Amino acid sequence: MQKIVLTGPESTGKTTLAKQLAGHFGTLWVPEFAREYLEKLNRPYREDDLLEIAKGQVAAEEELTEKAKDLLFLDTSLEVIKIWSQVVFGRCHPVIQDQLKNRLPDLYLLCRPDLPWEPDPLRENPSDRDVLFDLYQCELAGLGSLFIELNGVGNERFEKAVAHVETFLNH
């Protein structure tokens, strides 16, 4: 099973790309569990919610890993929760950090914040996406993970993603 994660700051097209890539390659994709969790939460999120979100993300990944063929796309992963936790709370729960190191995907597609910001009630960072992008670069490099930076608008971004995935799969 090859796992490819779409990651990066908010409003960089991760969900759209995950859906498109799964459709193009005839496989499944794992939605971002945080969205589902936070939409049901009737209060502001707290630090302990991030651990629950991480557990839900892992469970969703495991469930779809069993159903997918040879390839699975993930709309975000634990690196997002780690960075989010560090930015908002100044630290990250050790369980999230351990799970992140033990569940590395085969490839990250790191989405640049070159798309226009799209407001959403769950999004928090319209003005510092470039700073967050730098945090993602550092995190992925620190993990020693294979990652490719992805830019472009609309179909151009999708076509680049397909080309990168095909190159990765054919190696």
PDB file of all heavy atoms in Angstrom, residues 8-46:
ATOM      1  N   GLY A   8      -0.156  20.972   3.981  1.00  0.00           N
ATOM      2  CA  GLY A   8       0.161  22.381   3.817  1.00  0.00           C
ATOM      3  C   GLY A   8      -0.799  23.247   4.601  1.00  0.00           C
ATOM      4  O   GLY A   8      -1.716  22.745   5.257  1.00  0.00           O
ATOM      5  N   PRO A   9      -0.585  24.551   4.518  1.00  0.00           N
ATOM      6  CA  PRO A   9      -1.446  25.482   5.238  1.00  0.00           C
ATOM      7  C   PRO A   9      -2.896  25.410   4.767  1.00  0.00           C
ATOM      8  O   PRO A   9      -3.216  24.779   3.756  1.00  0.00           O
ATOM      9  CB  PRO A   9      -0.847  26.856   4.908  1.00  0.00           C
ATOM     10  CG  PRO A   9       0.536  26.585   4.450  1.00  0.00           C
ATOM     11  CD  PRO A   9       0.496  25.232   3.804  1.00  0.00           C
ATOM     12  N   GLU A  10      -3.741  26.104   5.502  1.00  0.00           N
ATOM     13  CA  GLU A  10      -5.165  26.152   5.167  1.00  0.00           C
ATOM     14  C   GLU A  10      -5.378  26.783   3.792  1.00  0.00           C
ATOM     15  O   GLU A  10      -4.605  27.622   3.349  1.00  0.00           O
ATOM     16  CB  GLU A  10      -5.913  27.007   6.200  1.00  0.00           C
ATOM     17  CG  GLU A  10      -5.876  26.463   7.590  1.00  0.00           C
ATOM     18  CD  GLU A  10      -6.457  27.436   8.603  1.00  0.00           C
ATOM     19  OE1 GLU A  10      -6.229  28.660   8.482  1.00  0.00           O
ATOM     20  OE2 GLU A  10      -7.127  26.958   9.524  1.00  0.00           O
ATOM     21  N   SER A  11      -6.451  26.347   3.151  1.00  0.00           N
ATOM     22  CA  SER A  11      -6.906  26.932   1.890  1.00  0.00           C
ATOM     23  C   SER A  11      -5.845  26.839   0.789  1.00  0.00           C
ATOM     24  O   SER A  11      -5.597  27.788   0.055  1.00  0.00           O
ATOM     25  CB  SER A  11      -7.343  28.388   2.111  1.00  0.00           C
ATOM     26  OG  SER A  11      -8.086  28.869   1.017  1.00  0.00           O
ATOM     27  N   THR A  12      -5.225  25.650   0.698  1.00  0.00           N
ATOM     28  CA  THR A  12      -4.232  25.428  -0.363  1.00  0.00           C
ATOM     29  C   THR A  12      -4.666  24.313  -1.314  1.00  0.00           C
ATOM     30  O   THR A  12      -3.851  23.801  -2.070  1.00  0.00           O
ATOM     31  CB  THR A  12      -2.837  25.113   0.227  1.00  0.00           C
ATOM     32  OG1 THR A  12      -2.937  23.996   1.109  1.00  0.00           O
ATOM     33  CG2 THR A  12      -2.265  26.315   0.961  1.00  0.00           C
ATOM     34  N   GLY A  13      -5.929  23.921  -1.250  1.00  0.00           N
ATOM     35  CA  GLY A  13      -6.463  22.972  -2.212  1.00  0.00           C
ATOM     36  C   GLY A  13      -6.266  21.514  -1.881  1.00  0.00           C
ATOM     37  O   GLY A  13      -6.423  20.649  -2.752  1.00  0.00           O
ATOM     38  N   LYS A  14      -5.951  21.188  -0.651  1.00  0.00           N
ATOM     39  CA  LYS A  14      -5.665  19.800  -0.277  1.00  0.00           C
ATOM     40  C   LYS A  14      -6.865  18.876  -0.507  1.00  0.00           C
ATOM     41  O   LYS A  14      -6.714  17.803  -1.096  1.00  0.00           O
ATOM     42  CB  LYS A  14      -5.222  19.729   1.187  1.00  0.00           C
ATOM     43  CG  LYS A  14      -3.939  20.486   1.481  1.00  0.00           C
ATOM     44  CD  LYS A  14      -3.522  20.400   2.927  1.00  0.00           C
ATOM     45  CE  LYS A  14      -4.485  21.027   3.898  1.00  0.00           C
ATOM     46  NZ  LYS A  14      -4.534  22.494   3.882  1.00  0.00           N
ATOM     47  N   THR A  15      -8.019  19.271  -0.047  1.00  0.00           N
ATOM     48  CA  THR A  15      -9.205  18.420  -0.170  1.00  0.00           C
ATOM     49  C   THR A  15      -9.571  18.215  -1.635  1.00  0.00           C
ATOM     50  O   THR A  15      -9.832  17.089  -2.068  1.00  0.00           O
ATOM     51  CB  THR A  15     -10.389  19.027   0.607  1.00  0.00           C
ATOM     52  OG1 THR A  15     -10.010  19.162   1.974  1.00  0.00           O
ATOM     53  CG2 THR A  15     -11.627  18.152   0.495  1.00  0.00           C
ATOM     54  N   THR A  16      -9.580  19.288  -2.384  1.00  0.00           N
ATOM     55  CA  THR A  16      -9.897  19.193  -3.815  1.00  0.00           C
ATOM     56  C   THR A  16      -8.927  18.245  -4.508  1.00  0.00           C
ATOM     57  O   THR A  16      -9.338  17.363  -5.269  1.00  0.00           O
ATOM     58  CB  THR A  16      -9.844  20.587  -4.465  1.00  0.00           C
ATOM     59  OG1 THR A  16     -10.828  21.418  -3.836  1.00  0.00           O
ATOM     60  CG2 THR A  16     -10.094  20.518  -5.961  1.00  0.00           C
ATOM     61  N   LEU A  17      -7.637  18.402  -4.232  1.00  0.00           N
ATOM     62  CA  LEU A  17      -6.627  17.544  -4.860  1.00  0.00           C
ATOM     63  C   LEU A  17      -6.755  16.091  -4.433  1.00  0.00           C
ATOM     64  O   LEU A  17      -6.608  15.187  -5.259  1.00  0.00           O
ATOM     65  CB  LEU A  17      -5.223  18.043  -4.533  1.00  0.00           C
ATOM     66  CG  LEU A  17      -4.620  19.032  -5.506  1.00  0.00           C
ATOM     67  CD1 LEU A  17      -3.272  19.506  -4.999  1.00  0.00           C
ATOM     68  CD2 LEU A  17      -4.501  18.449  -6.883  1.00  0.00           C
ATOM     69  N   ALA A  18      -7.012  15.866  -3.151  1.00  0.00           N
ATOM     70  CA  ALA A  18      -7.160  14.484  -2.679  1.00  0.00           C
ATOM     71  C   ALA A  18      -8.297  13.788  -3.425  1.00  0.00           C
ATOM     72  O   ALA A  18      -8.141  12.653  -3.888  1.00  0.00           O
ATOM     73  CB  ALA A  18      -7.397  14.452  -1.174  1.00  0.00           C
ATOM     74  N   LYS A  19      -9.415  14.475  -3.566  1.00  0.00           N
ATOM     75  CA  LYS A  19     -10.561  13.910  -4.296  1.00  0.00           C
ATOM     76  C   LYS A  19     -10.199  13.666  -5.763  1.00  0.00           C
ATOM     77  O   LYS A  19     -10.493  12.607  -6.319  1.00  0.00           O
ATOM     78  CB  LYS A  19     -11.757  14.861  -4.238  1.00  0.00           C
ATOM     79  CG  LYS A  19     -12.414  14.973  -2.902  1.00  0.00           C
ATOM     80  CD  LYS A  19     -13.555  15.999  -2.994  1.00  0.00           C
ATOM     81  CE  LYS A  19     -14.139  16.323  -1.650  1.00  0.00           C
ATOM     82  NZ  LYS A  19     -15.167  17.380  -1.738  1.00  0.00           N
ATOM     83  N   GLN A  20      -9.590  14.672  -6.384  1.00  0.00           N
ATOM     84  CA  GLN A  20      -9.239  14.557  -7.803  1.00  0.00           C
ATOM     85  C   GLN A  20      -8.243  13.433  -8.053  1.00  0.00           C
ATOM     86  O   GLN A  20      -8.391  12.658  -9.003  1.00  0.00           O
ATOM     87  CB  GLN A  20      -8.647  15.877  -8.319  1.00  0.00           C
ATOM     88  CG  GLN A  20      -9.627  17.004  -8.439  1.00  0.00           C
ATOM     89  CD  GLN A  20      -8.919  18.298  -8.848  1.00  0.00           C
ATOM     90  OE1 GLN A  20      -7.817  18.609  -8.384  1.00  0.00           O
ATOM     91  NE2 GLN A  20      -9.567  19.060  -9.715  1.00  0.00           N
ATOM     92  N   LEU A  21      -7.214  13.360  -7.222  1.00  0.00           N
ATOM     93  CA  LEU A  21      -6.193  12.332  -7.408  1.00  0.00           C
ATOM     94  C   LEU A  21      -6.758  10.933  -7.181  1.00  0.00           C
ATOM     95  O   LEU A  21      -6.446  10.006  -7.933  1.00  0.00           O
ATOM     96  CB  LEU A  21      -4.996  12.599  -6.494  1.00  0.00           C
ATOM     97  CG  LEU A  21      -4.156  13.821  -6.870  1.00  0.00           C
ATOM     98  CD1 LEU A  21      -3.170  14.162  -5.752  1.00  0.00           C
ATOM     99  CD2 LEU A  21      -3.432  13.604  -8.190  1.00  0.00           C
ATOM    100  N   ALA A  22      -7.583  10.786  -6.155  1.00  0.00           N
ATOM    101  CA  ALA A  22      -8.200   9.480  -5.917  1.00  0.00           C
ATOM    102  C   ALA A  22      -9.051   9.078  -7.115  1.00  0.00           C
ATOM    103  O   ALA A  22      -9.005   7.921  -7.548  1.00  0.00           O
ATOM    104  CB  ALA A  22      -9.035   9.515  -4.639  1.00  0.00           C
ATOM    105  N   GLY A  23      -9.806  10.011  -7.656  1.00  0.00           N
ATOM    106  CA  GLY A  23     -10.615   9.713  -8.840  1.00  0.00           C
ATOM    107  C   GLY A  23      -9.752   9.353 -10.040  1.00  0.00           C
ATOM    108  O   GLY A  23     -10.020   8.384 -10.747  1.00  0.00           O
ATOM    109  N   HIS A  24      -8.709  10.128 -10.254  1.00  0.00           N
ATOM    110  CA  HIS A  24      -7.820   9.892 -11.401  1.00  0.00           C
ATOM    111  C   HIS A  24      -7.134   8.528 -11.316  1.00  0.00           C
ATOM    112  O   HIS A  24      -7.019   7.826 -12.326  1.00  0.00           O
ATOM    113  CB  HIS A  24      -6.767  10.999 -11.480  1.00  0.00           C
ATOM    114  CG  HIS A  24      -5.803  10.828 -12.601  1.00  0.00           C
ATOM    115  ND1 HIS A  24      -6.088  11.233 -13.883  1.00  0.00           N
ATOM    116  CD2 HIS A  24      -4.565  10.269 -12.643  1.00  0.00           C
ATOM    117  CE1 HIS A  24      -5.060  10.947 -14.668  1.00  0.00           C
ATOM    118  NE2 HIS A  24      -4.118  10.357 -13.937  1.00  0.00           N
ATOM    119  N   PHE A  25      -6.690   8.154 -10.118  1.00  0.00           N
ATOM    120  CA  PHE A  25      -5.961   6.903  -9.947  1.00  0.00           C
ATOM    121  C   PHE A  25      -6.861   5.740  -9.538  1.00  0.00           C
ATOM    122  O   PHE A  25      -6.374   4.640  -9.281  1.00  0.00           O
ATOM    123  CB  PHE A  25      -4.824   7.085  -8.937  1.00  0.00           C
ATOM    124  CG  PHE A  25      -3.675   7.902  -9.486  1.00  0.00           C
ATOM    125  CD1 PHE A  25      -3.595   9.260  -9.223  1.00  0.00           C
ATOM    126  CD2 PHE A  25      -2.714   7.322 -10.287  1.00  0.00           C
ATOM    127  CE1 PHE A  25      -2.550  10.022  -9.739  1.00  0.00           C
ATOM    128  CE2 PHE A  25      -1.667   8.066 -10.810  1.00  0.00           C
ATOM    129  CZ  PHE A  25      -1.591   9.427 -10.536  1.00  0.00           C
ATOM    130  N   GLY A  26      -8.170   5.980  -9.484  1.00  0.00           N
ATOM    131  CA  GLY A  26      -9.128   4.908  -9.213  1.00  0.00           C
ATOM    132  C   GLY A  26      -8.986   4.298  -7.838  1.00  0.00           C
ATOM    133  O   GLY A  26      -9.041   3.079  -7.687  1.00  0.00           O
ATOM    134  N   THR A  27      -8.820   5.145  -6.836  1.00  0.00           N
ATOM    135  CA  THR A  27      -8.660   4.641  -5.476  1.00  0.00           C
ATOM    136  C   THR A  27      -9.451   5.505  -4.509  1.00  0.00           C
ATOM    137  O   THR A  27     -10.273   6.326  -4.905  1.00  0.00           O
ATOM    138  CB  THR A  27      -7.161   4.555  -5.097  1.00  0.00           C
ATOM    139  OG1 THR A  27      -7.039   3.837  -3.868  1.00  0.00           O
ATOM    140  CG2 THR A  27      -6.519   5.915  -4.985  1.00  0.00           C
ATOM    141  N   LEU A  28      -9.164   5.347  -3.229  1.00  0.00           N
ATOM    142  CA  LEU A  28      -9.880   6.065  -2.178  1.00  0.00           C
ATOM    143  C   LEU A  28      -9.028   7.196  -1.619  1.00  0.00           C
ATOM    144  O   LEU A  28      -7.816   7.242  -1.839  1.00  0.00           O
ATOM    145  CB  LEU A  28     -10.241   5.103  -1.048  1.00  0.00           C
ATOM    146  CG  LEU A  28     -11.103   3.900  -1.437  1.00  0.00           C
ATOM    147  CD1 LEU A  28     -11.284   2.968  -0.245  1.00  0.00           C
ATOM    148  CD2 LEU A  28     -12.451   4.363  -1.977  1.00  0.00           C
ATOM    149  N   TRP A  29      -9.679   8.069  -0.866  1.00  0.00           N
ATOM    150  CA  TRP A  29      -8.967   9.129  -0.163  1.00  0.00           C
ATOM    151  C   TRP A  29      -9.546   9.263   1.234  1.00  0.00           C
ATOM    152  O   TRP A  29     -10.713   8.969   1.461  1.00  0.00           O
ATOM    153  CB  TRP A  29      -9.026  10.450  -0.925  1.00  0.00           C
ATOM    154  CG  TRP A  29     -10.385  11.072  -1.008  1.00  0.00           C
ATOM    155  CD1 TRP A  29     -11.413  10.675  -1.810  1.00  0.00           C
ATOM    156  CD2 TRP A  29     -10.875  12.179  -0.250  1.00  0.00           C
ATOM    157  NE1 TRP A  29     -12.512  11.475  -1.606  1.00  0.00           N
ATOM    158  CE2 TRP A  29     -12.204  12.407  -0.657  1.00  0.00           C
ATOM    159  CE3 TRP A  29     -10.318  13.009   0.720  1.00  0.00           C
ATOM    160  CZ2 TRP A  29     -12.980  13.426  -0.114  1.00  0.00           C
ATOM    161  CZ3 TRP A  29     -11.093  14.019   1.252  1.00  0.00           C
ATOM    162  CH2 TRP A  29     -12.398  14.227   0.829  1.00  0.00           C
ATOM    163  N   VAL A  30      -8.700   9.676   2.171  1.00  0.00           N
ATOM    164  CA  VAL A  30      -9.088   9.836   3.567  1.00  0.00           C
ATOM    165  C   VAL A  30      -9.368  11.316   3.826  1.00  0.00           C
ATOM    166  O   VAL A  30      -8.461  12.139   3.705  1.00  0.00           O
ATOM    167  CB  VAL A  30      -7.973   9.354   4.524  1.00  0.00           C
ATOM    168  CG1 VAL A  30      -8.404   9.519   5.969  1.00  0.00           C
ATOM    169  CG2 VAL A  30      -7.592   7.909   4.226  1.00  0.00           C
ATOM    170  N   PRO A  31     -10.601  11.665   4.168  1.00  0.00           N
ATOM    171  CA  PRO A  31     -10.907  13.065   4.472  1.00  0.00           C
ATOM    172  C   PRO A  31     -10.224  13.535   5.752  1.00  0.00           C
ATOM    173  O   PRO A  31      -9.783  12.729   6.573  1.00  0.00           O
ATOM    174  CB  PRO A  31     -12.429  13.071   4.662  1.00  0.00           C
ATOM    175  CG  PRO A  31     -12.917  11.811   4.052  1.00  0.00           C
ATOM    176  CD  PRO A  31     -11.795  10.821   4.174  1.00  0.00           C
ATOM    177  N   GLU A  32     -10.185  14.831   5.933  1.00  0.00           N
ATOM    178  CA  GLU A  32      -9.617  15.435   7.131  1.00  0.00           C
ATOM    179  C   GLU A  32     -10.599  15.242   8.288  1.00  0.00           C
ATOM    180  O   GLU A  32     -11.690  15.815   8.290  1.00  0.00           O
ATOM    181  CB  GLU A  32      -9.358  16.916   6.894  1.00  0.00           C
ATOM    182  CG  GLU A  32      -8.778  17.631   8.075  1.00  0.00           C
ATOM    183  CD  GLU A  32      -8.619  19.121   7.835  1.00  0.00           C
ATOM    184  OE1 GLU A  32      -9.265  19.673   6.933  1.00  0.00           O
ATOM    185  OE2 GLU A  32      -7.832  19.721   8.581  1.00  0.00           O
ATOM    186  N   PHE A  33     -10.215  14.452   9.269  1.00  0.00           N
ATOM    187  CA  PHE A  33     -11.092  14.165  10.398  1.00  0.00           C
ATOM    188  C   PHE A  33     -11.373  15.407  11.241  1.00  0.00           C
ATOM    189  O   PHE A  33     -12.450  15.540  11.828  1.00  0.00           O
ATOM    190  CB  PHE A  33     -10.504  13.054  11.274  1.00  0.00           C
ATOM    191  CG  PHE A  33     -11.385  12.694  12.431  1.00  0.00           C
ATOM    192  CD1 PHE A  33     -12.520  11.921  12.243  1.00  0.00           C
ATOM    193  CD2 PHE A  33     -11.106  13.173  13.705  1.00  0.00           C
ATOM    194  CE1 PHE A  33     -13.354  11.599  13.302  1.00  0.00           C
ATOM    195  CE2 PHE A  33     -11.933  12.860  14.773  1.00  0.00           C
ATOM    196  CZ  PHE A  33     -13.062  12.077  14.575  1.00  0.00           C
ATOM    197  N   ALA A  34     -10.418  16.332  11.318  1.00  0.00           N
ATOM    198  CA  ALA A  34     -10.593  17.532  12.141  1.00  0.00           C
ATOM    199  C   ALA A  34     -11.851  18.294  11.752  1.00  0.00           C
ATOM    200  O   ALA A  34     -12.576  18.794  12.612  1.00  0.00           O
ATOM    201  CB  ALA A  34      -9.373  18.439  12.016  1.00  0.00           C
ATOM    202  N   ARG A  35     -12.130  18.370  10.471  1.00  0.00           N
ATOM    203  CA  ARG A  35     -13.313  19.104  10.016  1.00  0.00           C
ATOM    204  C   ARG A  35     -14.585  18.474  10.591  1.00  0.00           C
ATOM    205  O   ARG A  35     -15.442  19.160  11.148  1.00  0.00           O
ATOM    206  CB  ARG A  35     -13.352  19.128   8.483  1.00  0.00           C
ATOM    207  CG  ARG A  35     -14.562  19.847   7.926  1.00  0.00           C
ATOM    208  CD  ARG A  35     -14.376  20.174   6.463  1.00  0.00           C
ATOM    209  NE  ARG A  35     -13.373  21.196   6.259  1.00  0.00           N
ATOM    210  CZ  ARG A  35     -13.580  22.507   6.434  1.00  0.00           C
ATOM    211  NH1 ARG A  35     -14.747  22.946   6.823  1.00  0.00           N
ATOM    212  NH2 ARG A  35     -12.629  23.374   6.211  1.00  0.00           N
ATOM    213  N   GLU A  36     -14.705  17.168  10.462  1.00  0.00           N
ATOM    214  CA  GLU A  36     -15.868  16.452  10.991  1.00  0.00           C
ATOM    215  C   GLU A  36     -15.980  16.656  12.508  1.00  0.00           C
ATOM    216  O   GLU A  36     -17.064  16.943  13.026  1.00  0.00           O
ATOM    217  CB  GLU A  36     -15.735  14.963  10.667  1.00  0.00           C
ATOM    218  CG  GLU A  36     -16.814  14.082  11.226  1.00  0.00           C
ATOM    219  CD  GLU A  36     -16.544  12.611  10.979  1.00  0.00           C
ATOM    220  OE1 GLU A  36     -15.851  12.263   9.998  1.00  0.00           O
ATOM    221  OE2 GLU A  36     -17.046  11.803  11.775  1.00  0.00           O
ATOM    222  N   TYR A  37     -14.880  16.518  13.197  1.00  0.00           N
ATOM    223  CA  TYR A  37     -14.852  16.647  14.658  1.00  0.00           C
ATOM    224  C   TYR A  37     -15.262  18.060  15.088  1.00  0.00           C
ATOM    225  O   TYR A  37     -16.120  18.243  15.966  1.00  0.00           O
ATOM    226  CB  TYR A  37     -13.449  16.314  15.161  1.00  0.00           C
ATOM    227  CG  TYR A  37     -13.281  16.350  16.656  1.00  0.00           C
ATOM    228  CD1 TYR A  37     -13.457  15.201  17.416  1.00  0.00           C
ATOM    229  CD2 TYR A  37     -12.918  17.527  17.315  1.00  0.00           C
ATOM    230  CE1 TYR A  37     -13.288  15.214  18.796  1.00  0.00           C
ATOM    231  CE2 TYR A  37     -12.749  17.544  18.694  1.00  0.00           C
ATOM    232  CZ  TYR A  37     -12.932  16.392  19.424  1.00  0.00           C
ATOM    233  OH  TYR A  37     -12.752  16.404  20.784  1.00  0.00           O
ATOM    234  N   LEU A  38     -14.644  19.071  14.483  1.00  0.00           N
ATOM    235  CA  LEU A  38     -14.883  20.449  14.892  1.00  0.00           C
ATOM    236  C   LEU A  38     -16.283  20.942  14.526  1.00  0.00           C
ATOM    237  O   LEU A  38     -16.852  21.772  15.236  1.00  0.00           O
ATOM    238  CB  LEU A  38     -13.816  21.366  14.299  1.00  0.00           C
ATOM    239  CG  LEU A  38     -12.406  21.132  14.830  1.00  0.00           C
ATOM    240  CD1 LEU A  38     -11.396  21.952  14.042  1.00  0.00           C
ATOM    241  CD2 LEU A  38     -12.317  21.429  16.314  1.00  0.00           C
ATOM    242  N   GLU A  39     -16.834  20.434  13.429  1.00  0.00           N
ATOM    243  CA  GLU A  39     -18.192  20.835  13.052  1.00  0.00           C
ATOM    244  C   GLU A  39     -19.226  20.355  14.065  1.00  0.00           C
ATOM    245  O   GLU A  39     -20.270  20.966  14.219  1.00  0.00           O
ATOM    246  CB  GLU A  39     -18.533  20.317  11.654  1.00  0.00           C
ATOM    247  CG  GLU A  39     -17.847  21.109  10.559  1.00  0.00           C
ATOM    248  CD  GLU A  39     -18.054  20.544   9.169  1.00  0.00           C
ATOM    249  OE1 GLU A  39     -18.484  19.366   9.027  1.00  0.00           O
ATOM    250  OE2 GLU A  39     -17.774  21.278   8.206  1.00  0.00           O
ATOM    251  N   LYS A  40     -18.927  19.266  14.774  1.00  0.00           N
ATOM    252  CA  LYS A  40     -19.844  18.727  15.787  1.00  0.00           C
ATOM    253  C   LYS A  40     -19.606  19.322  17.173  1.00  0.00           C
ATOM    254  O   LYS A  40     -20.422  19.134  18.066  1.00  0.00           O
ATOM    255  CB  LYS A  40     -19.704  17.204  15.856  1.00  0.00           C
ATOM    256  CG  LYS A  40     -20.156  16.505  14.610  1.00  0.00           C
ATOM    257  CD  LYS A  40     -19.916  15.012  14.706  1.00  0.00           C
ATOM    258  CE  LYS A  40     -20.312  14.320  13.415  1.00  0.00           C
ATOM    259  NZ  LYS A  40     -19.963  12.893  13.448  1.00  0.00           N
ATOM    260  N   LEU A  41     -18.482  20.003  17.353  1.00  0.00           N
ATOM    261  CA  LEU A  41     -18.105  20.543  18.652  1.00  0.00           C
ATOM    262  C   LEU A  41     -18.914  21.819  18.922  1.00  0.00           C
ATOM    263  O   LEU A  41     -18.929  22.729  18.099  1.00  0.00           O
ATOM    264  CB  LEU A  41     -16.604  20.855  18.640  1.00  0.00           C
ATOM    265  CG  LEU A  41     -15.880  20.978  19.942  1.00  0.00           C
ATOM    266  CD1 LEU A  41     -15.964  19.672  20.749  1.00  0.00           C
ATOM    267  CD2 LEU A  41     -14.414  21.310  19.682  1.00  0.00           C
ATOM    268  N   ASN A  42     -19.561  21.896  20.047  1.00  0.00           N
ATOM    269  CA  ASN A  42     -20.390  23.055  20.371  1.00  0.00           C
ATOM    270  C   ASN A  42     -19.677  24.019  21.308  1.00  0.00           C
ATOM    271  O   ASN A  42     -20.305  24.628  22.176  1.00  0.00           O
ATOM    272  CB  ASN A  42     -21.717  22.590  20.998  1.00  0.00           C
ATOM    273  CG  ASN A  42     -22.583  21.874  19.993  1.00  0.00           C
ATOM    274  OD1 ASN A  42     -22.641  22.254  18.828  1.00  0.00           O
ATOM    275  ND2 ASN A  42     -23.240  20.833  20.431  1.00  0.00           N
ATOM    276  N   ARG A  43     -18.372  24.141  21.136  1.00  0.00           N
ATOM    277  CA  ARG A  43     -17.554  25.032  21.948  1.00  0.00           C
ATOM    278  C   ARG A  43     -16.240  25.246  21.197  1.00  0.00           C
ATOM    279  O   ARG A  43     -15.927  24.512  20.260  1.00  0.00           O
ATOM    280  CB  ARG A  43     -17.288  24.410  23.327  1.00  0.00           C
ATOM    281  CG  ARG A  43     -16.576  23.070  23.240  1.00  0.00           C
ATOM    282  CD  ARG A  43     -16.111  22.543  24.585  1.00  0.00           C
ATOM    283  NE  ARG A  43     -15.663  21.163  24.494  1.00  0.00           N
ATOM    284  CZ  ARG A  43     -14.523  20.773  23.927  1.00  0.00           C
ATOM    285  NH1 ARG A  43     -13.706  21.635  23.392  1.00  0.00           N
ATOM    286  NH2 ARG A  43     -14.206  19.480  23.902  1.00  0.00           N
ATOM    287  N   PRO A  44     -15.464  26.235  21.611  1.00  0.00           N
ATOM    288  CA  PRO A  44     -14.135  26.376  21.004  1.00  0.00           C
ATOM    289  C   PRO A  44     -13.283  25.141  21.320  1.00  0.00           C
ATOM    290  O   PRO A  44     -13.410  24.555  22.394  1.00  0.00           O
ATOM    291  CB  PRO A  44     -13.554  27.624  21.698  1.00  0.00           C
ATOM    292  CG  PRO A  44     -14.740  28.362  22.213  1.00  0.00           C
ATOM    293  CD  PRO A  44     -15.765  27.313  22.544  1.00  0.00           C
ATOM    294  N   TYR A  45     -12.443  24.749  20.373  1.00  0.00           N
ATOM    295  CA  TYR A  45     -11.603  23.577  20.621  1.00  0.00           C
ATOM    296  C   TYR A  45     -10.556  23.901  21.674  1.00  0.00           C
ATOM    297  O   TYR A  45     -10.176  25.052  21.881  1.00  0.00           O
ATOM    298  CB  TYR A  45     -10.970  23.053  19.336  1.00  0.00           C
ATOM    299  CG  TYR A  45      -9.933  23.963  18.708  1.00  0.00           C
ATOM    300  CD1 TYR A  45      -8.600  23.891  19.089  1.00  0.00           C
ATOM    301  CD2 TYR A  45     -10.276  24.871  17.712  1.00  0.00           C
ATOM    302  CE1 TYR A  45      -7.643  24.703  18.510  1.00  0.00           C
ATOM    303  CE2 TYR A  45      -9.327  25.692  17.137  1.00  0.00           C
ATOM    304  CZ  TYR A  45      -8.019  25.608  17.540  1.00  0.00           C
ATOM    305  OH  TYR A  45      -7.072  26.426  16.977  1.00  0.00           O
ATOM    306  N   ARG A  46     -10.103  22.846  22.335  1.00  0.00           N
ATOM    307  CA  ARG A  46      -9.068  22.949  23.371  1.00  0.00           C
ATOM    308  C   ARG A  46      -7.897  22.053  22.964  1.00  0.00           C
ATOM    309  O   ARG A  46      -8.012  21.231  22.059  1.00  0.00           O
ATOM    310  CB  ARG A  46      -9.622  22.495  24.722  1.00  0.00           C
ATOM    311  CG  ARG A  46     -10.813  23.291  25.216  1.00  0.00           C
ATOM    312  CD  ARG A  46     -11.250  22.831  26.589  1.00  0.00           C
ATOM    313  NE  ARG A  46     -11.626  21.421  26.581  1.00  0.00           N
ATOM    314  CZ  ARG A  46     -12.841  20.950  26.899  1.00  0.00           C
ATOM    315  NH1 ARG A  46     -13.794  21.775  27.238  1.00  0.00           N
ATOM    316  NH2 ARG A  46     -13.080  19.654  26.882  1.00  0.00           N
TER     317      ARG A  46
END
